[in-house]
Amino acid sequence: FILSDSAPEAEETEVAIWRGLTQRLQCAIYYRRRERNIGRKPGNIAEWLRRFGGAYDYMLMLDADSLMGGDTIIGMAQIMDRRPAVALLQSVPQVIGAHTLFQRWMQFASRVYGPPSTAGLVWWSGSEATFWGHNALIRVRAFADSCGLPELPGKPPFGGTIMSHDVVEAALLRRRGWRVHMVMTEETFEEYPPTLIDAAVRDRRWAQGNLQHLGLLHASGFHWINRLQLLLGAAGYIASPLWLLLIAISVLLAVTGQEGLISASTSGSVLALTIALLFGPKLLGVIHAVSDRQRRHDLGGARAILRSVALDVPLSILAAPTIALTQTIDLIGIARQRRAEWHPQNRSSQGLSMAEILPRYRWHIAAGAVLLILSPLMPVAAAWLVPVTAGWLLAPWIVQWTASEQAGRWAAHRRIFVTDLGQAERQAVVRQAGHPVDGDEALA
């Protein structure tokens, strides 16, 4: 079942592709498009469950940019057959189809840093794992019985339809006694936005959806781990303005001659702890990548891995302040009742011009310029804040460079951000080249 919620102008092309599929495939394939797209993706799934769900034991949820291998799907179904108390198995997709430098960077990060993080997430979440809305196998009866979504009281952006519905659905399943597990498996993939701007647009929607979850923390019957997941999702965005506020207070104290939080007397143990928290997961990922011969080969060898990490670390340091300020600006917009719209995600890029970039990053440049001007008045604090100042001032150029497919080819030629996903990646690239759909279709 292809459940379409893309733009109306895409319907004719989608129908043509669907008809071509029906002639080539041996199994029945259905295309459904509602006249009134109420509730977007959750509404599509709810309508499918009411009309067709009773005929199926399981449904496999995929978005338009998702891909899963047949052996992985069969293996997950076998687990569900043997574990009748499990309602949902969430796989952890890897990034595929990278062309721009930004996509190649994110693809490399998912391959190298993802496994240790995923192992920790699988361990601590246990049977109260989360749901990401795609690349997951779901027991139809459990989902239909448990996951009716309410309309939140009040007006958007905090009230109305639940935007980040998947985490809430996982909590609702657990509330009914069902188990929700995350599994580490191969052959599960998704595409990634091609530029930092496209990633920020998607992040804006997630920010609003995750902030809505604060109103659900008191919901009756939720497991405490599910409540923690709801809280952490919102806290991840609230942390950005708090971090910037900390910097602003430190700058103010330093300029007025007082010793702020950033000073020459800052404890070495605090610095060591900060470095461990920031780079410890990366170090674990590198150790995991180089310790296995096949993984090391797939990532281009030990030298290629270290060369890639040597570019990833400074890029991450420079991009972090930019992302934090962007999230803060988005949160201000949300607080001012500016509602995020769920438009189709851009999955291809021909590069970005400065005319497209500068309007989005004028506040970043202004903030970097302020720190640069104040540097003579606070030399110690200015030295600590070099990554922040440089990140904001260089933001437009970093965005433009990483958005380039030419830069992606440059990195590939020098064996930087190498990932070899073999046949699955080749299939995804072919699918992407011939894939006209731009919405968040779900395949059940």
Side-chain angles (χ1 to χ4, degrees):
F1 291 83
I2 302 175
L3 312 180
S4 173
D5 68 355
S6 53
E9 54 267 22
E11 180 176 1
E12 183 178 351
T13 305
E14 290 178 358
V15 170
I17 296 295
W18 163 66
R19 285 175 176 164
L21 285 174
T22 60
Q23 295 173 5
R24 297 201 305 270
L25 299 181
Q26 295 180 356
C27 64
I29 180 169
Y30 304 96
Y31 172 84
R32 294 192 56 75
R33 185 183 188 86
R34 295 178 298 159
E35 291 184 359
R36 298 183 62 200
N37 193 16
I38 299 173
R40 302 303 297 267
K41 179 179 175 179
N44 259 330
I45 301 303
E47 193 258 3
W48 182 87
L49 284 167
R50 285 191 293 266
R51 299 192 61 169
F52 304 100
Y56 300 93
D57 292 327
Y58 310 128
M59 59 181 181
L60 180 75
M61 198 77 69
L62 297 174
D63 279 353
D65 61 348
S66 297
L67 185 70
M68 290 184 72
D71 289 342
T72 293
I73 296 170
I74 292 172
M76 292 171 66
Q78 290 173 336
I79 293 174
M80 297 280 271
D81 285 342
R82 296 168 184 170
R83 301 288 189 272
V86 175
L88 188 148
L89 287 178
Q90 173 66 64
S91 68
V92 184
Q94 302 173 46
V95 178
I96 55 167
H99 298 288
T100 67
L101 180 61
F102 179 67
Q103 287 174 318
R104 292 186 64 87
W105 175 21
M106 294 298 104
Q107 182 171 282
F108 174 82
S110 76
R111 288 285 285 173
V112 175
Y113 309 137
S117 300
T118 300
L121 186 59
V122 169
W123 175 79
W124 75 259
S125 59
S127 60
E128 291 79 37
T130 191
F131 175 38
W132 292 333
H134 57 89
N135 292 60
L137 189 67
I138 304 169
R139 195 177 300 274
V140 170
R141 180 171 64 86
F143 197 88
D145 288 345
S146 308
C147 296
L149 294 174
E151 288 283 317
L152 297 181
K155 297 180 179 180
F158 298 106
T161 302
I162 296 176
M163 295 186 67
S164 295
H165 54 90
D166 34 26
V167 184
V168 178
E169 288 161 346
L172 291 172
L173 284 169
R174 195 67 185 100
R175 184 169 71 171
R176 285 291 188 96
W178 293 99
R179 294 178 177 271
V180 177
H181 284 276
M182 187 171 289
V183 292
M184 296 182 69
T185 182
E186 300 295 329
E187 294 187 334
T188 174
F189 311 102
E190 66 175 340
E191 296 170 11
Y192 205 83
T195 71
L196 266 164
I197 288 179
D198 293 301
V201 170
R202 183 180 69 172
D203 205 43
R204 166 65 170 81
R205 300 194 300 266
W206 286 353
Q208 180 173 323
N210 286 15
L211 288 179
Q212 280 184 318
H213 293 165
L214 293 175
L216 298 174
L217 293 177
H218 66 282
S220 63
F222 279 0
H223 194 281
W224 72 268
I225 289 216
N226 293 123
R227 296 185 199 275
L228 179 62
Q229 289 165 345
L230 294 171
L231 178 61
L232 289 176
Y237 291 97
I238 297 173
S240 289
L242 292 178
W243 182 60
L244 295 180
L245 180 62
L246 178 67
I247 291 176
I249 292 173
S250 297
V251 168
L252 179 62
L253 293 175
V255 169
T256 57
Q258 304 176 59
E259 184 173 313
L261 297 173
I262 302 176
S263 66
S265 61
T266 298
S267 170
S269 59
V270 172
L271 177 60
L273 178 61
T274 302
I275 293 175
L277 291 174
L278 289 176
F279 299 108
K282 291 182 181 289
L283 179 60
L284 287 175
V286 171
I287 293 172
H288 176 265
V290 301
S291 62
D292 180 84
R293 181 176 181 181
Q294 185 60 49
R295 281 195 298 268
R296 193 167 61 246
H297 175 268
D298 291 345
L299 295 166
R303 290 185 179 180
I305 294 172
L306 296 177
R307 193 160 49 239
S308 300
V309 172
L311 180 57
D312 162 72
V313 169
L315 273 179
S316 299
I317 291 173
L318 291 173
T322 298
I323 294 171
L325 183 53
T326 300
Q327 289 179 345
T328 301
I329 294 171
D330 289 341
L331 290 179
I332 292 172
I334 293 171
R336 296 177 63 186
Q337 306 295 308
R338 291 180 182 173
R339 182 179 180 180
E341 297 296 334
W342 204 270
H343 297 298
Q345 298 181 37
N346 180 30
R347 295 297 178 186
S348 61
S349 174
Q350 302 301 320
L352 295 170
S353 67
M354 276 297 166
E356 298 174 282
I357 297 172
L358 288 175
R360 292 177 175 269
Y361 292 93
R362 61 185 185 276
W363 292 110
H364 302 70
I365 297 174
V370 169
L371 288 182
L372 188 63
I373 292 170
L374 294 177
S375 294
L377 303 177
M378 50 171 197
V380 174
W384 280 93
L385 293 173
V386 164
V388 178
T389 305
W392 285 340
L393 290 175
L394 296 175
W397 290 272
I398 293 173
V399 170
Q400 186 179 52
W401 182 50
T402 57
S404 168
E405 290 189 10
Q406 182 178 354
R409 290 190 292 269
W410 168 86
H413 180 70
R414 286 160 178 78
R415 301 189 66 74
I416 297 173
F417 299 147
V418 172
T419 54
D420 179 15
L421 298 174
Q423 182 65 23
E425 168 136 43
R426 288 194 291 273
Q427 290 175 353
V429 172
V430 170
R431 185 183 70 85
Q432 184 186 52
H435 183 40
V437 180
D438 60 358
D440 276 335
E441 294 78 8
L443 283 72

